[in-house]
Amino acid sequence: MPTTIIAGNWKMNTTRQEARALVEQMRDALDAVEGVTTLLCPPFVHLETVADLLRGTSVALGAQNMHPESSGAFTGEVSPDMLRGLCEYVILGHSERRELFGETDEFVNAKVRAALAAGLRPILCVGERLEQREGGEADAVVERQVGVGLEGVEDASALVVAYEPVWAIGTGRAATPDVAQSMMATIRGALAARFGADAAGEAPLLYGGSVNLGNVEEYARQPDVNGALVGGASLDAEAFTKIVQLAARHS
Ligand code: 13P
């Protein structure tokens, strides 16, 4: 069975003081939960602060993005070498990066390979837009994102995939558990075709898109959903702690 992972993607939120307060409010309760890997993904500038606050706890740390090159003239970017040793995970190919910053599957693939080469665990985000779902293309879109996103990757053991349908992100319109499960089965199949059934069966697949404490258990009950990537609700210490506790009941 894959590890259950509940990751909080803070996106472009929190000042340094707010970041510190948020971690202090939930750190002990998160540390006490067993059977779930809890992961916080604050903005780059807070990684070190949060790392210091999480030291000695079981709560893991992730970045929200990364450039594939290890160094060079890429103003404003952050490299794998900068993240190595600071955090363990990195979110790559989030739909906001794809939609707002023009990231292609090929660029995301370069990032995934660079993350793995640096010893980071990539959380490859995939998901269709509303018109693609309505046009019956959702599976094909996600299969392509997974296929191209993992081109040249030979070992799936560090990989995490998050299915985040674009229409469910920040909208309060979460995918039904059936829709999430069905897409996870598609993703698991795509992973099995590339890495074999055993490796595919071990890869944590997360659902993201309007996850909250009212619906997290529904996802956790699905056989191929191994956790959640939480946006808005991860900025509320009480709600996020509860989400992790509820997920732990099903891990
Ligand atoms: P919300 O939980 O706010 O819908 O965001 C989901 C997301 O994009 C997490 O990466």
Side-chain angles (χ1 to χ4, degrees):
M1 278 293 285
T3 334
T4 299
I5 299 176
I6 301 290
N9 175 8
W10 294 5
K11 307 193 180 182
M12 195 176 73
N13 292 295
T14 66
T15 62
R16 187 194 301 243
Q17 288 79 1
E18 288 164 350
R20 183 177 282 281
L22 188 53
V23 178
E24 283 171 347
Q25 281 161 32
M26 57 188 179
R27 175 179 53 188
D28 294 345
L30 294 176
D31 186 36
V33 179
E34 286 178 11
V36 172
T37 296
T38 307
L39 169 64
L40 304 183
C41 302
F44 285 131
V45 291
H46 303 327
L47 279 173
E48 196 148 5
T49 303
V50 176
D52 286 344
L53 292 169
L54 293 180
R55 195 155 293 122
T57 74
S58 60
V59 183
L61 188 62
Q64 298 175 15
N65 183 29
M66 188 196 79
H67 194 277
E69 298 294 331
S70 53
S71 64
F74 300 98
T75 300
E77 292 293 315
V78 169
S79 81
D81 288 355
M82 296 172 190
L83 295 180
R84 191 207 320 253
L86 184 55
C87 62
E88 193 184 341
Y89 293 79
V90 56
I91 297 172
L92 297 174
H94 191 280
S95 67
E96 286 149 18
R97 300 296 319 169
R98 295 174 188 264
E99 302 275 316
L100 303 173
F101 301 97
E103 292 195 7
T104 62
D105 286 330
E106 289 72 16
F107 192 46
V108 174
N109 172 243
K111 295 180 181 214
V112 169
R113 285 186 283 123
L116 289 168
L120 295 159
R121 294 195 65 178
I123 302 176
L124 170 63
C125 297
V126 297
E128 80 286 357
R129 293 199 296 267
L130 184 59
E131 67 270 20
Q132 292 168 325
R133 172 153 294 271
E134 288 174 347
E137 301 160 39
D139 285 87
V141 166
V142 169
E143 277 176 337
R144 184 187 142 75
Q145 290 171 334
V146 171
V148 180
L150 296 178
E151 200 84 26
V153 174
E154 278 161 19
D155 179 1
S157 57
L159 183 71
V160 180
V161 179
Y163 169 55
E164 299 204 304
V166 178
W167 45 270
I169 295 177
T171 58
R173 186 182 164 187
T176 63
D178 284 354
V179 164
Q181 166 56 30
S182 161
M183 189 59 85
M184 295 309 182
T186 299
I187 294 170
R188 190 93 60 200
L191 296 180
R194 182 174 290 267
F195 302 109
D198 287 352
E202 287 300 319
L205 305 185
L206 315 184
Y207 168 74
S210 299
V211 173
N212 57 43
L213 54 87
N215 62 20
V216 66
E217 284 187 280
E218 287 298 314
Y219 299 114
R221 284 193 192 101
Q222 305 305 312
D224 285 301
V225 181
N226 312 118
L229 182 50
V230 184
S234 73
L235 294 166
D236 177 332
E238 217 175 287
F240 188 66
T241 303
K242 191 81 191 153
I243 287 170
V244 173
Q245 289 166 341
L246 290 170
R249 289 191 194 167
H250 302 270
S251 68

